[in-house]
Amino acid sequence: MRTVQVGSVTVGADAPLVIIAGPCAAESRDLCLAVGERMRDRCAELGFGYIFKASFDKANRSSIKSRRGPGMDEGLRLIASVGTALGVPTTTDVHESQQAPAVAQAVDLLQVPAFLCRQTDLLVACAKTGRPVNVKKGQFLSPAEMNNVVTKLTESDAAGIMLTERGTFFGYHRLVNDFTAVAEMMTLGWPVCFDVTHSTQAPGGQGDASGGRPEHAPMLAKCAVAAGVQALFIETHPDPPSALSDAATMLPLDHAVSLLGDLKRLWEAR
């Protein structure tokens, strides 16, 4: 397996577990700093790598009335300033190919959302920025089909690739996790991340918003670490019910910080 360098953090089979964590939306600088500082400090105590995550725009919303975030210009400035203040690398979503150059100037890792994982122009544009690219496996794809994603990125000279598992559609309003899919994606030669909180999502389960069962997130995180993933993706917030986006799936910040200790013990045992 190749290693991927995301700022000061190394992601790979022989590197420490990496935690990609932050609020769903970049609601405010104060919120992002509060979440990022707690997660950074706990990861440092445990010897984990840490990458701060927040989204400047939540373009894939159930309803046209759903709140989406601060927008690209303000959001990128916010995320970049948080990364600088905390001294950690950062990541955010890219939704359109023309966004890629500007996003790459602001963050260290570009993230392609699951529903866009087959968009060739978007993948090529992200690869050509010179930043590593993390692609979430579409809920509609088999793990083997992610080889096509890898090929698009490698043939476009991507600086590094990560693949993220975030659940597979099982009927309506339900995602399931197949940990053999994690193992299969690892055979593609690049680090694999497991999206802990989005895997608990019930897409469209509330009609005009997605529901979720975040109480299952700790169990899934432990299963993923036992399965050998190189990174975990966790959305967390001090008060999830008040969050602008993904209130139904984010972990309370205190719970997320506590969970990392359990994951450290599993990581060492593995």
Side-chain angles (χ1 to χ4, degrees):
M1 178 182 290
R2 299 168 180 85
T3 59
V4 175
Q5 196 66 34
V6 182
S8 59
V9 172
T10 302
V11 190
D14 298 322
L17 183 68
V18 173
I19 306 297
I20 303 172
C24 179
E27 299 179 22
S28 71
R29 190 172 188 272
D30 286 346
L31 170 73
C32 290
L33 284 171
V35 173
E37 186 174 16
R38 289 280 306 279
M39 297 301 288
R40 178 202 64 185
D41 291 351
R42 186 58 173 149
C43 285
E45 290 174 3
L46 297 171
F48 291 159
Y50 176 60
I51 300 169
F52 174 79
K53 175 271 162 191
S55 298
F56 62 83
D57 180 21
K58 304 303 297 182
N60 174 32
R61 299 288 84 192
S62 298
S63 169
I64 196 169
K65 297 179 181 179
S66 298
R67 292 175 291 185
R68 294 178 48 168
M72 185 170 168
D73 292 341
E74 180 184 346
L76 289 179
R77 284 194 297 269
L78 188 159
I79 294 167
S81 73
V82 169
T84 299
L86 296 176
V88 299
T90 56
T91 186
T92 196
D93 310 293
V94 184
H95 304 283
E96 301 175 8
S97 55
Q98 62 265 31
Q99 295 177 341
V103 175
Q105 291 295 314
V107 303
D108 302 280
L109 174 68
L110 305 187
Q111 178 177 286
V112 175
F115 281 130
L116 301 178
C117 69
R118 286 167 49 112
Q119 296 295 99
T120 301
D121 289 346
L122 178 59
L123 293 170
V124 170
C126 288
K128 290 187 178 299
T129 65
R131 294 291 195 190
V133 184
N134 177 25
V135 183
K136 292 193 173 184
K137 180 178 77 66
Q139 301 92 321
F140 45 86
L141 285 185
S142 69
E145 289 173 90
M146 289 299 283
N147 186 53
N148 295 326
V149 172
V150 169
T151 299
K152 290 177 183 180
L153 291 170
T154 54
E155 292 192 0
S156 302
D157 300 319
I161 299 169
M162 292 176 60
L163 304 176
T164 294
E165 164 63 25
R166 58 142 300 159
T168 300
F169 284 132
F170 185 78
Y172 299 119
H173 306 154
R174 178 76 189 273
L175 297 173
V176 297
N177 294 105
D178 173 10
F179 284 96
T180 66
V182 170
E184 190 166 350
M185 284 200 290
M186 286 184 196
T187 68
L188 301 180
W190 293 96
V192 171
C193 176
F194 182 82
D195 187 335
V196 174
T197 45
H198 284 118
S199 290
T200 71
Q201 191 177 68
Q206 296 179 5
D208 61 352
S210 291
R213 302 184 69 185
E215 67 272 17
H216 296 312
M219 179 193 68
L220 291 173
K222 294 170 187 176
C223 291
V225 171
V229 296
Q230 287 70 57
L232 292 177
F233 180 100
I234 302 171
E235 287 190 337
T236 180
H237 191 285
D239 181 31
S242 71
L244 297 182
S245 178
D246 280 5
T249 56
M250 281 195 285
L251 282 179
L253 181 56
D254 288 342
H255 294 187
V257 171
S258 176
L259 173 61
L260 295 182
D262 294 336
L263 300 180
K264 175 67 172 182
R265 289 187 287 274
L266 273 171
W267 179 260
E268 291 176 339
R270 193 206 69 177

